[in-house]
Amino acid sequence: MLEQLLIFTRGGLILWTCKELGNALRGSPIDTLIRSCLLEERSGAASYNYDAPGASYTLKWTFHNELGLVFVAVYQRILHLLYVDDLLAMVKQEFSEIYDPKRTSYNDFDDIFQQLKKEAEARAEEMKKSKQVGKPANNNLGKKQGQVLKGYVDGSNKKNSGGESENGGGDGDKLKGHLLENGNFNKNNVVNGEFPRMVNANGKENGSSNVGAFDVNKLQKIRGKGGKKTDTSVNKGSKAEPKKKVVKKNRVWNDSPSEPKLDFTDPVSENGEDNISIVAAEQGESMMDKEEIISSESESEEEDTGKNGKVETKKKGWFSSMFQSIAGKANLEKADLEPALKALKDRLMTKNVAEEIAEKLCESVAASLEGKKLASFTRISSTVQAAMEEALVRILTPRRSIDILRDVHAAQEQGKPYVVVFVGVNGVGKSTNLAKVAYWLQQHKIKVMMAACDTFRSGAVEQLRTHARRLQIPIFEKGYEKDPAIVAKEAIQEASRNGSEVVLVDTAGRMQDNEPLMRALSKLIYVNSPDLNLFVGEALVGNDAVDQLSKFNQKLADLSPSPDPRLIDGILLTKFDTIDDKVGAALSMVYISGAPVMFVGCGQSYTDLKKLNVKSIVKTLLQ
C-alpha cells in the first residue's frame, strides 16, 4: 500500500498531498531524502531507503525541471510495489498540465489522482498475469530425457566450423538414428563409454563433438617434454654450489663501547631548550589565518567550451548546431546530454575523482537538466558545465559551522576541555598535522595539550614528544601497550585539572579492514565522547578514498555499543602540495561521508596548514 505521495516545489512549498492516504509516517523520511539525497547531488539514484523505529520505507521520486517541481512517493519497503514508477510518471504529466505558479492549492487533483492510481494498479496486475502466462509449462519427463541430448546437439552445432544450414539437419537425423524410443543411446553404438562421433558434410570427423575424449599420444608427448625440462632444471640445480652467507661485522670507532641508550628525544645538549624556543618563535603566522586570492581568469574554461563545441559541430553539422544555439532547444533530453556528460566524467576522473563518484554526479546533473529548455545562444556543453559547477560548490560547501575557535570557547564556558581525535590509515601524517593544528591554536592564545594514545607503533610516543618540546606544549603519555581509551580518558582529566582548553588525541594508524584496531578506536570514541572526530586522509588517493571513509564509518557504527554511534565529523587532507591539479580526493571524501574538509596540510612546516578554498577546487576540477 502506498503510504504517501507529495508534490512540492524546489523552494520547499508543498503544493499537494494525498488526503486519502493520510498515513502518519514514522520519523521524517521526506526531510531526510531532501537533506541527504536531493541536496547532496544523489538524485540520480533510483530509490532511497529510510529506516525508522518500527518502520522501513522506500522513497521514489521524479522531477519536472522546467517547472521546478518534485514528486515523491513513499511506501513500505517490504511490499515492493511495481506500479510506483508508472504512477509518478502519470502524476507528473497530469499535474504539469494544471500547474500554475500563482496557485498554492490543488484540491481538485484528488479525483484525478485516484483515477491514475487505479490505472497504474490495473497495469501492474496485467503485467503480473502476462508474465505468469508467458512462462512455459513444466515437462519434467522431457527435461530429464532430453537434457543430455539437447546439450550434445547444441554443443556440436556451435563448434562446427562449417555452415550451420548444412550440418544442422544431417547431424540431427544421424543422432536420432542412434536413439531408442525412451531417448537413451543404443548400447551397440556406445563403445567404452564414448558418444558416437559426428561427421561433417565433408566426411571429416568433428572432433569437438567427441565429449570427454583426448589423444593419448599427445598427452605422452607433453609429459615427456615436461619431464625433460624438470630433469634439466634439477641437474642445473645440483651443479650449482650453495653460496656461503657473509655476515657483516659492526664497525667500531676509536675502540669506544656502544652507548646503552639511544633516545635522542631527551635534551642531552646544553643549549637544547634554547634552540627549541628559537625554532618555535621563528615559525611565523599559520596559513589558516591568511586569505587565499583566486584569479578570476576563465581562459581555460573558454578553451574547453570551444573544444566541446567542435565535437558537437562534427556530430550535428554546422548549420544545425548554429541554428540550435540561436533558436534554443525545446526540451533537453538524456541523449542530448550524454556526450557532454561523458566528457565531463572523463575530466573528473583525470583529476583523481573516484569513478563511482564521478558517475553518480553525472547522473544527478542529468536528472536536474532533463526536460529543461535550453536558452538561446547557449551550448549544451556550457549548460552541463554550469550545472556541474553548481553541484560541486553545493557538495564541498560545509552544511554546518566549522569554526573550531568558536566551539573551543563554547566548551570553555561549560568548564570542560575541547577534545579532538585524529584517526586515519597508516602513514598519512596524523602526528605531523596534529602538531600543525596545535601550533595554529597556540597562535590564538589557546592552551593545548597533546595525548599520546598511539600505544601500538614503535616510536610514536617519542615522535609526539618531540613535537611537544618544539612547540613547548604539555604532553600526556603512558608509554606503549596500554589501552588507548584509558590513556585518552586520563589525559582529558589531566587537562581539566591543569586548565588546558583543547586536548589533541593522537591515535594509531590502522587499515579500515583491521577489526581489532577498529574495535579499539570505537571504544576510545565511545568512552571519551570527543567533540570532533577528524579523519586524516591523503590527497593522493583516488578510488581508495571511498573505501577508506565508508568502511571507517561502517566499522565505527557496527562496533560501537552505543545505539547512536559517533562517526567521522570532519576531514583533514594531507600532502596537498604534492598533487598539482589532482584534487579529486577532496570531492570523493566529502561526497561519500558528508563530512566537510576542515584543514588542508600543504607542507612540512608548522605553518603549512590552511582552509579548503571551494572555488579554487571547483575551478581546478573543471579545467
Side-chain angles (χ1 to χ4, degrees):
M1 179 182 175
L2 196 66
E3 295 289 327
Q4 188 58 272
L5 196 140
L6 197 69
I7 304 174
F8 56 92
T9 65
R10 287 187 180 271
L13 176 64
I14 298 176
L15 299 175
W16 180 85
T17 180
C18 185
K19 295 177 182 176
E20 285 197 8
L21 294 176
N23 298 323
L25 299 175
R26 301 194 178 207
S28 54
I30 296 177
D31 292 342
T32 308
L33 171 72
I34 294 171
R35 281 198 311 270
S36 60
C37 194
L38 303 186
L39 292 179
E40 291 296 318
E41 296 301 326
R42 292 177 173 87
S43 55
S47 61
Y48 178 75
N49 293 329
Y50 176 81
D51 294 318
S56 296
Y57 298 115
T58 295
L59 290 85
K60 291 193 173 183
W61 63 91
T62 185
F63 301 110
H64 197 298
N65 292 312
E66 189 176 355
L67 301 178
L69 301 177
V70 184
F71 304 81
V72 180
V74 186
Y75 60 93
Q76 292 283 349
R77 192 185 309 167
I78 197 172
L79 296 179
H80 299 289
L81 300 182
L82 301 177
Y83 63 85
V84 174
D85 293 326
D86 290 338
L87 180 61
L88 282 173
M90 290 190 291
V91 168
K92 171 184 172 182
Q93 183 179 356
E94 294 293 333
F95 191 83
S96 60
E97 293 177 0
I98 65 170
Y99 174 69
D100 184 2
K102 298 178 181 178
R103 284 182 63 182
T104 57
S105 177
Y106 292 87
N107 296 326
D108 55 339
F109 192 69
D110 294 343
D111 297 332
I112 301 174
F113 172 73
Q114 292 302 325
Q115 185 64 28
L116 296 176
K117 186 182 176 187
K118 289 178 183 177
E119 290 180 11
E121 290 176 348
R123 284 185 188 177
E125 288 296 327
E126 288 179 4
M127 288 178 64
K128 278 185 182 178
K129 290 178 182 177
S130 63
K131 285 181 180 178
Q132 290 175 358
V133 171
K135 289 181 180 179
N138 293 329
N139 189 356
N140 295 329
L141 183 62
K143 281 186 179 179
K144 289 179 180 178
Q145 292 180 352
Q147 191 172 8
V148 177
L149 176 62
K150 284 182 182 178
Y152 178 60
V153 174
D154 293 343
S156 63
N157 288 338
K158 285 181 183 177
K159 293 179 183 177
N160 281 340
S161 58
E164 293 181 1
S165 60
E166 296 178 7
N167 299 340
D171 292 347
D173 294 335
K174 289 181 181 180
L175 191 59
K176 286 177 184 175
H178 293 293
L179 293 176
L180 296 177
E181 292 179 1
N182 59 354
N184 295 324
F185 282 105
N186 192 346
K187 294 180 181 178
N188 298 328
N189 294 323
V190 180
V191 182
N192 296 330
E194 294 183 358
F195 288 98
R197 299 192 178 208
M198 304 294 292
V199 181
N200 290 337
N202 299 328
K204 295 180 180 180
E205 291 184 349
N206 187 2
S208 63
S209 63
N210 195 3
V211 180
F214 57 88
D215 194 349
V216 181
N217 296 326
K218 288 184 180 179
L219 183 61
Q220 290 175 353
K221 288 180 182 179
I222 293 170
R223 283 180 178 174
K225 288 180 182 178
K228 287 178 183 178
K229 287 184 179 178
T230 51
D231 292 337
T232 53
S233 62
V234 170
N235 293 334
K236 287 181 182 178
S238 60
K239 289 179 182 178
E241 295 180 359
K243 295 182 179 179
K244 295 181 180 180
K245 190 175 181 181
V246 180
V247 181
K248 187 177 180 180
K249 296 181 180 180
N250 295 327
R251 181 175 293 179
V252 180
W253 296 93
N254 299 329
D255 297 331
S256 59
S258 59
E259 296 190 14
K261 187 177 181 181
L262 294 176
D263 188 0
F264 296 104
T265 59
D266 292 337
V268 289
S269 61
E270 297 179 358
N271 300 325
E273 296 298 331
D274 296 336
N275 293 337
I276 291 169
S277 61
I278 291 170
V279 168
E282 287 180 350
Q283 289 296 319
E285 185 182 2
S286 176
M287 294 175 69
M288 280 288 293
D289 302 319
K290 296 178 181 178
E291 291 294 331
E292 189 175 356
I293 300 172
I294 304 291
S295 61
S296 59
E297 297 175 0
S298 59
E299 295 175 1
S300 57
E301 295 178 8
E302 291 176 2
E303 290 175 4
D304 290 336
T305 305
K307 289 177 184 177
N308 292 334
K310 287 178 184 177
V311 174
E312 288 183 7
T313 52
K314 286 180 182 177
K315 290 183 179 179
K316 298 183 179 180
W318 175 80
F319 180 76
S320 60
S321 63
M322 186 185 74
F323 177 77
Q324 196 177 87
S325 64
I326 294 174
K329 187 172 171 61
N331 286 313
L332 287 172
E333 299 176 358
K334 196 168 185 180
D336 302 324
L337 300 171
E338 280 180 358
L341 287 173
K342 186 179 183 304
L344 204 55
K345 178 187 172 183
D346 294 341
R347 192 186 308 171
L348 289 175
M349 288 174 62
T350 58
K351 303 292 183 178
N352 221 13
V353 178
E355 182 182 2
E356 178 187 355
I357 306 299
E359 190 171 348
K360 287 183 179 178
L361 278 170
C362 290
E363 288 175 359
S364 180
V365 169
S368 65
L369 289 178
E370 194 174 348
K372 272 191 175 181
K373 186 175 181 180
L374 186 67
S376 302
F377 299 101
T378 55
R379 295 185 180 274
I380 294 177
S381 57
S382 57
T383 304
V384 170
Q385 180 151 341
M388 180 63 77
E389 185 175 352
E390 291 177 6
L392 295 179
V393 170
R394 189 159 52 247
I395 291 169
L396 291 172
T397 302
R399 300 192 305 271
R400 59 178 178 82
S401 173
I402 57 172
D403 189 357
I404 292 183
L405 299 176
R406 189 189 68 177
D407 296 340
V408 169
H409 292 307
Q412 189 178 2
E413 291 175 359
Q414 297 177 4
K416 62 175 186 178
Y418 187 81
V419 182
V420 183
V421 175
F422 292 76
V423 303
V425 299
N426 309 78
V428 294
K430 289 183 295 298
S431 303
T432 304
N433 285 274
L434 181 147
K436 293 179 185 179
V437 174
Y439 179 77
W440 172 66
L441 292 171
Q442 262 191 325
Q443 298 292 306
H444 291 272
K445 311 299 181 185
I446 293 175
K447 296 180 181 178
V448 185
M449 187 177 79
M450 296 181 181
C453 295
D454 184 357
T455 61
F456 184 78
R457 176 174 64 90
S458 300
V461 176
E462 287 79 10
Q463 179 186 2
L464 204 65
R465 190 193 303 159
T466 302
H467 286 304
R469 287 179 52 231
R470 287 172 65 87
L471 296 174
Q472 297 180 339
I473 291 175
I475 180 173
F476 186 88
E477 56 175 285
K478 286 289 184 179
Y480 296 98
E481 297 182 0
K482 302 291 191 302
D483 188 352
I486 303 302
V487 176
K489 186 175 182 180
E490 294 178 359
I492 296 170
Q493 293 172 353
E494 178 65 23
S496 300
R497 285 193 293 268
N498 63 20
S500 296
E501 299 169 4
V502 177
V503 180
L504 303 179
V505 180
D506 185 31
T507 62
R510 65 206 77 210
M511 295 306 293
Q512 59 269 25
D513 298 322
N514 191 329
E515 187 166 337
L517 287 178
M518 289 302 299
R519 192 178 295 278
L521 178 62
S522 179
K523 179 184 176 183
L524 185 148
I525 293 174
Y526 173 71
V527 170
N528 297 285
S529 298
D531 298 281
L532 182 64
N533 293 329
L534 265 184
F535 179 84
V536 184
E538 283 183 330
L540 302 167
V541 295
N543 288 320
D544 199 37
V546 178
D547 188 58
Q548 287 178 9
L549 260 172
S550 58
K551 285 190 177 178
F552 254 82
N553 272 333
Q554 182 184 350
K555 291 290 184 182
L556 289 178
D558 294 344
L559 301 176
S560 175
S562 172
D564 187 19
R566 288 285 306 278
L567 304 179
I568 301 299
D569 300 318
I571 299 167
L572 194 157
L573 272 178
T574 64
K575 306 177 185 178
F576 210 74
D577 54 323
T578 64
I579 57 173
D580 195 22
D581 62 342
K582 305 292 189 293
V583 296
L587 177 64
S588 299
M589 289 184 178
V590 173
Y591 188 91
I592 200 67
S593 67
V597 176
M598 306 186 74
F599 301 100
V600 174
C602 54
Q604 298 296 321
S605 302
Y606 291 130
T607 58
D608 293 332
L609 190 75
K610 62 181 183 180
K611 299 175 184 176
L612 182 74
N613 194 309
V614 174
K615 291 182 179 179
S616 173
I617 296 295
V618 172
K619 182 181 176 183
T620 306
L621 284 171
L622 296 179
Q623 276 181 354

